[in-house]
Structure formats: structure tokens, C-alpha cells
Amino acid sequence: MSIYKCPHCGEKSFNPISKAMSGTMKSKGKPCPKCGKLCVNGKGATIFSAIYCLIAFIFVVYIFVHGIDTEWMFFHEAPMVIGLILSMFIVPMIANAFFFKMMPSIRIDLNS
């Protein structure tokens, strides 16, 4: 079930999973199944991803530095860091799937 429109042809050709996999403006993008042109999530998705990853990285560093301060944090340091690193990939993809507008890819590749 496709519910998101391609910015090139205007056809509803993207579902939430394919929209999440299309990536942000720094990625190559995903080709539209109908017209074949590359589409990505817009500027809002790129900004959200950068800010979220920066905040998660700050928390990883904080946990690493202050992990030995308390006994509870000492034993739960590794699961918290692993969870934060996984969330750097999962949360932006979920947000891309539902909240941000699609736009044409502006990336210029040498091979094309």
C-alpha cells in the first residue's frame, strides 16, 4: 500500500518502509518504482538526524566518562551505550518514515 507521493512524477509509489530506507539528503536516495528517479527525505529529516545523533553521542560520552561513579551505572553501562548507538540508526529511520516530506535527490555522483 503506497501512501506517499514521488516528488518527480506525483504518483503514490512509496510506503513507510521504502520512505524510511530512502535516507536523508546526504544519502543517494531510493529510486521511485514508477518513474525510476531518486528521491530522499527533505531538509527537516537531515536536521533531525544530525541533532538526534549529536545528542545521543553526547550521552554515550557522558556514560563512558561517568560510568564508574555509581555501582548501578557501572553494571548497566554497556547496555545503555549499545541502546544509544542502535537508537542513532533506528529513531531517525522511524521519523523519516512518517514525519518528513519527500524531495528529489540533489546529490551528484561521478558514475552517473
Side-chain angles (χ1 to χ4, degrees):
M1 180 173 130
S2 300
I3 58 175
Y4 297 106
K5 291 183 180 181
C6 171
H8 294 286
C9 62
E11 296 288 327
K12 290 187 175 184
S13 57
F14 285 96
N15 58 23
I17 294 172
S18 63
K19 188 173 181 286
M21 296 297 174
S22 64
T24 59
M25 292 180 68
K26 66 180 182 176
S27 66
K28 182 178 179 182
K30 186 164 178 74
C32 172
K34 306 260 176 155
C35 66
K37 295 184 179 176
L38 295 175
C39 303
V40 295
N41 290 298
K43 292 178 186 176
T46 306
I47 293 168
F48 174 78
S49 177
I51 291 172
Y52 184 81
C53 290
L54 180 67
I55 290 171
F57 180 72
I58 289 170
F59 279 122
V60 166
V61 171
Y62 178 80
I63 290 170
F64 181 74
V65 171
H66 295 287
I68 58 173
D69 291 348
T70 63
E71 185 176 334
W72 182 88
M73 199 166 179
F74 179 73
F75 287 112
H76 296 92
E77 180 180 0
M80 287 190 294
V81 169
I82 291 170
L84 281 169
I85 290 173
L86 287 175
S87 77
M88 284 185 201
F89 298 106
I90 295 171
V91 171
M93 287 181 73
I94 292 172
N96 289 345
F98 297 107
F99 299 118
F100 299 109
K101 185 177 159 187
M102 296 283 286
M103 66 181 297
S105 178
I106 58 172
R107 182 172 163 177
I108 299 172
D109 289 330
L110 296 175
N111 297 334
S112 58

